[in-house]
Structure formats: C-alpha cells, structure tokens
Amino acid sequence: MNAIELDNVWKSFGETTAVAGLDLVVPRGCIFGLLGPNGAGKTTTIRMVMDIIAPDRGEIRVLGQPNSGAILDRVGYLPEERGLYPKMKVIELLELFGVLKGLARQEARARAADWLDRFGLQDWGDKKVEQLSRGMQQKVMFIGTILHRPDVIILDEPFSGLDPISSTEVKEIILEQKERGATVVFSTHLMEQVEKLCDEICLINEGKAVLQGRLAEVKSRFGARNVLLAYDGQPDFLYDTSLVAHYDDYGHYVEIQPAEGVSPQAILERAVREVEVWRFEVKEPSLHDIFIQVVKGEAAREVPA
Ligand code: ATP
C-alpha cells in the first residue's frame, strides 16, 4: 500500500489551472521531495491531499483510503502559511495540537516539553507565541506536526526561514521519522536538501508531473555522467570519438563527457593503458541542473513553431 496516491487530479482557480491531470505515487517509508518552480501547483496539491480544498476531478488516496475523516488523523501537516495563535502559550498550543490529533492531554504536554528541549526552546514553553521569532515559531509548528507520531508527514517548505543550525535539526528529525517508519513528503526549492535527504522525487511543472522516481534512477537516467581524471602522460584516447563525446583538458586534469552508451568504467580502462591515473571521479549531474533542464525544456516545447 502506498502512503499517497493521486490519479489524474485537476484543480482550477477561475482561469488558472493550478493542477492539470497530476498522477503521483508516494511509496510508504520513504522521504519524498515535491519539487517545482514557483506556481507549479505544489501547495495546491498538498492542500488537496489534506482535504482543505477539493479537486475538480480525479482521485486521492491516503494510506489506501479516500483522503477524508479519520485517515487524516494519521497525517501530520505543516502548512506553508504558519498560522499560529499569537496569544496562546507555546506549551498550551502544542498540547492543543496533540489533543486534536487524539493524544491524552498529559501525554501531549510531556511530548511537547521533550521536543521543546530538543530544539533548545525549553525556556519558551510559557511564553506567548507572539514573543517568539519567526524561526522559533516555525520550529514550534514543526513540533506540532509530528507530536502525535503520524504515519505520513507532509511539510510544505519546511526549511524556509530557518537558520543553518535549525535546518540541520529539522533534517535530522526528518531522518529519524523515516527510521521509525513514517513517510515524509516535503516541498522545497532547496535542491541541496533534496539531494541529501530524498529517496524519491516528483518534479511538478505547470500542474503536471514531469519527472518522477527514485532519486538515484532519475539522476542516472538524466544527463551525462561526466568523468574527471587527473593524470600524467599522453591521453590519446581523448581523440577517440567512439569513446569521448567531449573533453576539457588542462594538461594534467581533464573533464570528459563520455560518448553515448559509454560507461565511466570503459573510459577508466582505456585511460590506465595510456596514462598514469592519479584520480578518477564520476560526476553525477546535479539535481539543480536536471531541474533547470527539464523545466526549461518544457517551456521551450510550448513556444509555438
Ligand atoms: P510556490 O513554490 O511559489 O509556493 P506552488 O508550486 O506551491 O508555488 P501553488 O501555490 O499551488 O504553487 O499555485 C499554483 C497556481 O495556482 C498559481 O498560479 C497560483 O496563483 C494559483 N492559485 C493557488 N491558489 C489559488 C487560489 N486560492 N486562488 C486563485 N489562484 C490560486
């Protein structure tokens, strides 16, 4: 059973089609990155999954069931707009979050206190929410999202507004949540976080999934893997066009784009016969490059001939 499934989901706001026939599968137990440029439809998709807005068409399932009622108690959701109750005390707000998701009051308070400790906010529990900085408020909302140990955690831009230390804390907690068996879906623009954290990704552009799958697969499917070589000697193999599509040579260091169908290993095997190899490295295309390539490619396709 998958954590989340969307079949041919559509949503328009007046003239704007925000989501246009989106198919999405989030397997259980993974960390899933929902990527896409501004206005791609990520937040609209997440809001539909959370049953805050209804799709015009299509089906949504969470943990194998229609996404309404009790099944959503098993989901933790961090919205993009962090609507907090400014006059409430932090600990009371967290207690309320827990109780609304079915925890006993005492249990909710104890868990909230532990998490505040973990985030270095132990002295802030009795302060009013409005006294906290924006980043601190975000951490409180994050605690509220995971307090009831949900099976599925959906985080809309969880890293926005966080300093590097807080981002690292959130990243570590996301990994811990996966280890305890939860599925984590998050939207972001930060490709670096995605590369480090995600098992699976979906790149959305103009309301459609344009790239989806396991991160390692997406990367190997996409773009040439260049080979970096530090060497001594005469690398005649660089002129062999059946092996090398393109190279950028600096005398003792060369970056090679292998010819189509040629593996980095094949390059290495030839290289060691001709030169002394000091260093050999396969450079994966970055997700950043893939993102730009795919999104720009889509845009180019839409330009009328
Ligand atoms: P970002 O990365 O900038 O947060 P996003 O991928 O989350 O973008 P959405 O917020 O889902 O994108 O917006 C998709 C499109 O739908 C945009 O064109 C947006 O203007 C439009 N849209 C979203 N919500 C509404 C709404 N309530 N009323 C009208 N238009 C909306």
Side-chain angles (χ1 to χ4, degrees):
M1 186 216 306
N2 291 309
I4 299 171
E5 290 162 341
L6 272 74
D7 291 337
N8 194 23
V9 169
W10 293 77
K11 180 72 191 178
S12 294
F13 299 100
E15 298 284 283
T16 310
T17 304
V19 174
L22 181 64
D23 293 316
L24 187 71
V25 174
V26 178
R28 278 195 88 165
C30 72
I31 300 181
F32 191 99
L34 200 55
L35 321 177
N38 292 127
K42 302 179 295 292
T43 296
T44 304
T45 300
I46 290 175
R47 288 196 181 131
M48 286 192 285
V49 171
M50 292 311 298
D51 199 25
I52 295 165
I53 51 175
D56 299 332
R57 204 141 49 91
E59 259 193 61
I60 302 177
R61 284 177 298 278
V62 171
L63 297 166
Q65 295 183 39
N67 61 326
S68 56
I71 197 73
L72 292 179
D73 284 344
R74 293 170 62 188
V75 181
Y77 166 52
L78 178 71
E80 193 179 36
E81 72 298 340
R82 327 284 193 213
L84 289 171
Y85 300 91
K87 302 286 175 200
M88 265 181 104
K89 283 186 181 172
V90 169
I91 193 79
E92 285 167 2
L93 179 72
L94 288 173
E95 192 180 292
L96 175 68
F97 278 146
V99 168
L100 287 173
K101 290 288 191 178
L103 292 182
R105 193 165 293 276
Q106 292 288 64
E107 178 65 18
R109 184 171 277 252
R111 287 191 196 180
D114 284 349
W115 279 115
L116 288 173
D117 246 12
R118 169 93 188 258
F119 273 115
L121 293 174
Q122 58 278 10
D123 297 333
W124 294 85
D126 286 326
K127 299 271 192 320
K128 286 189 182 144
V129 170
E130 64 189 2
Q131 292 172 272
L132 273 63
S133 75
R134 202 165 79 86
M136 286 171 170
Q137 290 190 20
Q138 172 141 343
K139 290 199 257 184
V140 169
M141 282 295 280
F142 182 69
I143 294 171
T145 306
I146 57 175
L147 200 62
H148 64 295
R149 296 182 190 147
D151 295 318
V152 180
I153 299 169
I154 301 178
L155 310 166
D156 202 348
E157 297 279 355
F159 299 103
S160 80
L162 292 183
D163 65 37
I165 296 171
S166 305
S167 289
T168 304
E169 286 168 345
V170 165
K171 181 206 78 184
E172 278 167 8
I173 293 165
I174 287 177
L175 285 168
E176 282 171 25
Q177 297 297 309
K178 177 189 159 182
E179 269 162 36
R180 75 162 176 84
T183 308
V184 184
V185 179
F186 71 94
S187 74
T188 187
H189 298 282
L190 302 174
M191 293 300 140
E192 215 182 303
Q193 299 288 6
V194 175
E195 301 226 20
K196 288 186 189 143
L197 266 178
C198 291
D199 305 300
E200 301 246 350
I201 61 154
C202 178
L203 173 56
I204 298 182
N205 193 33
E206 298 183 342
K208 288 187 284 285
V210 290
L211 193 62
Q212 190 164 178
R214 292 195 68 77
L215 182 58
E217 271 167 31
V218 166
K219 286 189 136 200
S220 66
R221 187 159 20 114
F222 238 84
R225 289 190 298 162
N226 281 2
V227 169
L228 310 180
L229 207 66
Y231 69 92
D232 220 358
Q234 182 58 39
D236 289 329
F237 68 93
L238 291 178
Y239 313 120
D240 181 348
T241 51
S242 69
L243 197 69
V244 173
H246 182 77
Y247 66 88
D248 192 8
D249 189 20
Y250 295 86
H252 292 289
Y253 174 87
V254 61
E255 183 161 344
I256 300 166
Q257 186 188 330
E260 200 162 330
V262 173
S263 69
Q265 270 84 347
I267 303 265
L268 179 63
E269 278 164 25
R270 260 297 280 286
V272 293
R273 276 191 258 143
E274 294 181 16
V275 295
E276 191 176 338
V277 175
W278 306 338
R279 189 157 76 83
F280 169 79
E281 191 184 322
V282 180
K283 190 174 141 202
E284 294 276 354
S286 77
L287 200 54
H288 177 90
D289 296 341
I290 296 174
F291 181 108
I292 291 173
Q293 205 177 325
V294 173
V295 171
K296 283 205 170 153
E298 289 275 310
R301 222 170 294 154
E302 274 155 30
V303 176

